[in-house]
Amino acid sequence: MPIRLLQDMECSGKTVVIRQDLNVPMKDGRITNDKRIRAALPGIRMALDKGAGVILLSHLGRPTEGVVEEKFSLAPVAAHLSGLLGRPVKLAADLDAAKAAPGEVVLLENIRFFKGEKKNDPALAARLAALGDIYVMDAFGAAHRAHASTEGAVRAARVACAGPLMAAELAAFARVLDAPARPLMAIIGGSKVSTKLGLLDNLLGKVDTLIVGGGIANTFLAAAGYGVGTSLYEPELVDDAKKVMAKARELGKALPLPVDVVTARELAPGQTATVRDVDKVPADEMILDVGPKTVELYAGLLQKAATVVWNGPVGAFETDPFGAGTRALAEALAASPAFVVVGGGDSVAAVESYGLADKMGYISTGGGASLELLEGKVLPSVAALQDRGA
């Protein structure tokens, strides 16, 4: 169902409340990466340009709900936003202080300081919705949470709509899931099959090729009869991996496994890394990356793909020397003619660290939200926006 959009709203002289995802990493009270704040700017500027006063809502970290904890205060975010917007951003300690005249920006203190947020308390949702004339959900990274500020307030608001970031995220994943240009490929990495079984099963019904990486690939290698030494894998899920591979064969979908891997005695910087064929992993070593022949195999498949979604690295890329496979995959994606959507914190971090973000079709801001979309789930915030109609 269609969703109302902020770009179509009449905002002049009104108060617009925007739920953003300003949950940025902090160290010693300082913001270490402002990517999420910058991603929120188009929605804020759009409302301001339309003549509105803007009240922003966000969470930060995981404080004890209902308890004000200084280390989780949004004060540093308000100060940083002031600099980026070129205008003051006032921090409101409570709901009564959250008022914004046209042209003003006010940031409400950490929404998780308010009791009832995570339980989607109807009373809190109603109070949040009543802060303004229009309630905007623009926090894709929190859209999979049915909280008072992400779902309840959307339903309680007089007028509810999606912001530009939310709209862009949904449009990008629609290009992958609803009517993709084919061939469609998914690359799913990560440590555990157990957290992504539903995802893999759903994707098999949609994609033409499914590549698994990281610890997930190790479980599939074990299911294929290969020894994986001391590698991270889930022996109790080997049978489930076999079922996924059997389903891929039944559906005629490609599920290529690594043909060579990089092994070492332990996951630690400076280890001696050895490239081995996949059937020659020593019993006392672990698989920590894919090898060059596997990268070549994947790159060849990528050149034929029209649409690709990537969530999760194919090796322990944060630890040298086990990042070559993930870097080579990122470079192959950047060179691919396909429309590439990158989702998940680790994949996005890898792409950005290699300076390749601008070579991808779309970089998602939501890890858990993107995974749930790929799994075929309806996000609570999206359901609420759809129910409010266009």
Side-chain angles (χ1 to χ4, degrees), residues 116-117 120-130 135 147-149 151-154 156-157:
E117 161 65 2
N120 201 0
D121 177 59
L124 177 60
R127 292 190 70 192
L128 296 174
Y135 196 91
H147 292 172
S149 66
E151 197 263 357
V154 173

Side-chain angles (χ1 to χ4, degrees), residues 258-284:
V259 293
D260 64 340
V261 293
V262 177
T263 68
R265 290 289 182 91
E266 61 179 313
L267 175 57
Q271 288 289 302
T272 299
T274 306
V275 177
R276 304 182 187 277
D277 287 341
V278 75
D279 60 349
K280 293 184 170 57
V281 176
D284 62 347

Side-chain angles (χ1 to χ4, degrees), residues 318-390:
E318 309 99 324
T319 306
D320 188 56
F322 309 116
T326 297
R327 184 179 192 119
L329 178 64
E331 290 171 346
L333 284 164
S336 168
F339 174 69
V340 178
V341 175
V342 183
D346 287 342
S347 302
V348 173
V351 166
E352 291 181 338
S353 69
Y354 307 143
L356 298 172
D358 61 347
K359 300 283 198 337
M360 305 297 171
Y362 190 79
I363 303 291
S364 178
T365 60
S370 63
L371 281 174
E372 290 201 10
L373 274 182
L374 293 174
E375 196 172 334
K377 295 180 178 179
V378 177
L379 306 183
S381 295
V382 176
L385 287 167
Q386 289 174 332
D387 288 346
R388 295 307 306 271

Side-chain angles (χ1 to χ4, degrees), residues 101-148:
E104 292 182 344
V105 182
V106 172
L107 174 61
L108 181 66
E109 187 55 282
N110 194 332
I111 194 64
R112 291 186 179 171
F113 287 175
F114 298 85
K115 201 165 184 61
E117 161 65 2
K118 293 171 72 174
K119 290 185 178 179
N120 201 0
D121 177 59
L124 177 60
R127 292 190 70 192
L128 296 174
L131 290 174
D133 305 290
I134 300 170
Y135 196 91
V136 183
M137 179 57 188
D138 207 26
F140 179 74
H144 59 310
R145 307 294 187 197
H147 292 172

